[in-house]
């Protein structure tokens, strides 16, 4: 039951993107098309799950004074793996995500889970916590990028869903659109949560 | 001349926060008061310029000659940045306690500011020369300071405004950032890129 709670909390209650507002840089930068959002979410999910599990395994070996550099080295190693795999099998997506793949290293979500959860809990619990948080992050990115792609280009995953009558609001795929869309979603989330609570 | 253009370009046209989405966390987190926002900006600019230079040296004198830039770059850069931040903190603490008081709490936070690592990687990708790297790093820091200070100024005024309840806090800050970003798009014709 506890494990289920660890898993489920990242999806809604403590959703990293819409509730905790951590790891925001990739959220805003890569969500201009749905496919980029999904790819970024999955890459982050992979790094988060692997590094949380490893850190939880070796937590008793790491001296507490140098723990942050140790975490960062573990995370950077998995990011390098993810980066090379993406470059080898999905070169197009890798080219679009560009700088933001290496920047997963400094995504505060990953270091935050390592410090706040994986360094204190068992391997199984850390794994499910990371899985939940990673999936929460992935759906948030997917959701945001679908909204932006529909409004900005009239398409989802590159397929046109809105007819010829629709003039795309180009602003939504440009930087200002990212800030404004996310701001409105966070506002809506607050409204819903307040009503159900 | 090239360097000057690069400086102005990274402050206004490709502003790190508003156009490249780097350094959003401190931009949202530490922009409640103008004074602290400005201190954060100065501290970040300082570390950015130093780490821009340091990562240029590492890239061109260690990683490239040994052919390790493909798979050791991220690990090397982040370690250099983390230790540089620590070093800067110790030096400031010894030499200028007043400055340390002002910047103190912000310094450790800077390690996980993605603008710093992003800057180091951008310098490596674009293969800037040494002088260009300095201009670019300093410009990026100045742009960050400009954006965060402006945001803090707006948020201070906002305290007296009647914001709808669900939008209070982060939501309205994001919307303001969107409007600022839109205004900064006006600079895009300033420099032929």
């Amino acid at each position: 039951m506890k494990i289920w709670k660890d898993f489920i909390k990242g999806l809604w209650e403590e959703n990293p993107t819409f509730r905790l507002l951590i790891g925001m840089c990739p959220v805003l930068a890569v969500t201009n098309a749905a496919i980029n959002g999904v790819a970024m979410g999955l890459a982050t999910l992979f790094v988060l799950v692997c590094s949380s599990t490893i850190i939880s395994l070796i937590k008793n070996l790491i001296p507490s004074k140098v723990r942050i550099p140790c975490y960062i080295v573990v995370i950077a190693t998995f990011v390098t793996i993810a980066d090379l795999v993406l470059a080898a099998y999905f070169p197009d997506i890798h080219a679009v995500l560009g700088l933001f793949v290496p920047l997963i290293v400094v995504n505060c979500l990953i270091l935050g889970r390592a410090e706040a959860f994986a360094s204190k809990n068992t391997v199984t619990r850390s794994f499910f916590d990371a899985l939940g948080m990673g999936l929460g992050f992935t759906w948030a990115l997917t959701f945001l990028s679908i909204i932006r792609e529909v409004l900005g280009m009239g398409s989802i995953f590159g397929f046109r869903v809105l007819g010829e009558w629709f003039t795309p609001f180009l602003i939504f795929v440009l930087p200002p659109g990212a800030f404004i869309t996310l701001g409105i979603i966070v506002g809506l989330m607050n409204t819903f949560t307040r009503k159900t609570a | 001349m090239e360097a000057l253009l690069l400086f102005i370009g990274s402050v206004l046209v490709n502003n790190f926060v508003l156009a490249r989405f780097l350094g959003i966390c401190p931009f949202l987190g530490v922009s409640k008061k103008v004074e602290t926002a400005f201190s954060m900006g100065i501290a970040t600019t300082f570390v950015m310029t130093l780490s821009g230079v340091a990562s240029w040296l590492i890239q061109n004198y260690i990683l490239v000659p040994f052919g390790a830039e493909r798979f050791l770059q991220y690990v090397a850069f982040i370690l250099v940045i983390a230790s540089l931040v620590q070093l800067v903190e110790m030096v400031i603490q010894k030499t200028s306690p007043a400055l340390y008081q002002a910047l103190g709490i912000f310094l450790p936070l800077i390690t996980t500011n993605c603008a710093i690592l992003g800057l180091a990687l951008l310098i490596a990708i674009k293969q800037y020369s040494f002088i260009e790297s300095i201009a670019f790093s300093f410009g990026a820091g100045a742009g960050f300071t400009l954006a965060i200070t402006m945001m803090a100024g707006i948020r201070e005024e906002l305290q007296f405004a009647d914001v709808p309840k669900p939008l209070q806090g982060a939501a309205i800050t994001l919307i303001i950032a969107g409007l600022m970003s839109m205004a900064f798009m006006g600079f895009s014709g300033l420099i032929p890129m």
Side-chain angles (χ1 to χ4, degrees), chain A residues 8-22 109 132-133 135-141 189:
Chain A
I8 206 77
K9 71 172 187 292
L11 295 180
W12 182 265
E13 227 171 286
E14 289 181 29
N15 186 288
T17 305
F18 295 143
R19 309 288 308 169
L20 303 181
L21 294 170
I22 53 177
L109 168 60
M133 282 285 165
L135 285 175
F137 186 74
T138 308
W139 87 251
L141 253 74
M189 287 280 279

Side-chain angles (χ1 to χ4, degrees), chain A residues 145-186:
Chain A
S145 55
I146 286 178
I147 293 182
R148 285 183 65 193
E149 199 182 336
V150 168
L151 291 176
M153 319 259 267
S155 59
I156 294 178
F157 291 107
F159 298 108
R160 209 174 161 85
V161 289
L162 292 176
E164 289 301 316
W165 52 269
F166 179 74
T167 315
F169 304 102
L170 199 57
I171 195 81
F172 278 99
V173 286
L174 294 173
F179 286 114
I180 292 174
T181 318
L182 186 63
I184 292 172
I185 295 178
V186 170

Side-chain angles (χ1 to χ4, degrees), chain A residues 57-117:
Chain A
L57 268 174
I58 60 173
K59 60 178 180 285
N60 295 329
L61 300 175
I62 301 177
S64 69
K65 270 190 183 151
V66 292
R67 67 183 190 285
I68 301 284
C70 292
Y71 298 162
I72 291 183
V73 172
V74 172
I75 296 167
T77 311
F78 283 110
V79 170
T80 309
I81 295 174
D83 183 46
L84 293 176
V85 169
L86 269 179
Y89 293 103
F90 306 98
D92 304 346
I93 292 178
H94 184 258
V96 179
L97 295 183
L99 193 60
F100 284 91
V101 180
L103 285 182
I104 298 176
V105 178
V106 281
N107 190 327
C108 14
L109 168 60
I110 300 180
L111 195 64
R113 287 339 279 175
E115 170 77 1
F117 202 93

Side-chain angles (χ1 to χ4, degrees), chain A residues 183-197:
Chain A
I184 292 172
I185 295 178
V186 170
L188 287 177
M189 287 280 279
N190 285 345
T191 321
F192 283 127
T193 323
R194 190 159 292 130
K195 264 178 197 157
T196 50

Side-chain angles (χ1 to χ4, degrees), chain B residues 125-191:
Chain B
I125 292 168
K126 302 212 165 172
Q127 301 185 322
Y128 285 139
S129 73
F130 188 66
I131 299 294
E132 282 172 338
S133 304
I134 296 178
F136 184 61
S137 320
F138 188 60
F144 177 80
T145 312
L146 179 70
I148 198 172
T149 313
M150 278 167 60
M151 176 54 104
I154 297 176
R155 283 181 78 173
E156 275 189 2
E157 291 297 314
L158 207 64
Q159 285 175 346
F160 307 107
D162 186 19
V163 181
K165 216 160 186 205
L167 286 183
Q168 277 171 11
I172 192 75
T173 312
L174 283 164
I175 293 173
I176 293 170
L179 297 178
M180 275 169 76
S181 162
M182 222 181 280
F184 268 70
M185 276 171 71
F187 288 117
S188 60
L190 195 63
I191 287 171

Side-chain angles (χ1 to χ4, degrees), chain A residues 22-43:
Chain A
I22 53 177
M24 298 308 278
C25 304
V27 172
L28 294 162
V30 304
T31 51
N32 49 4
I35 184 76
N36 300 340
V38 177
M40 186 68 199
L42 292 178

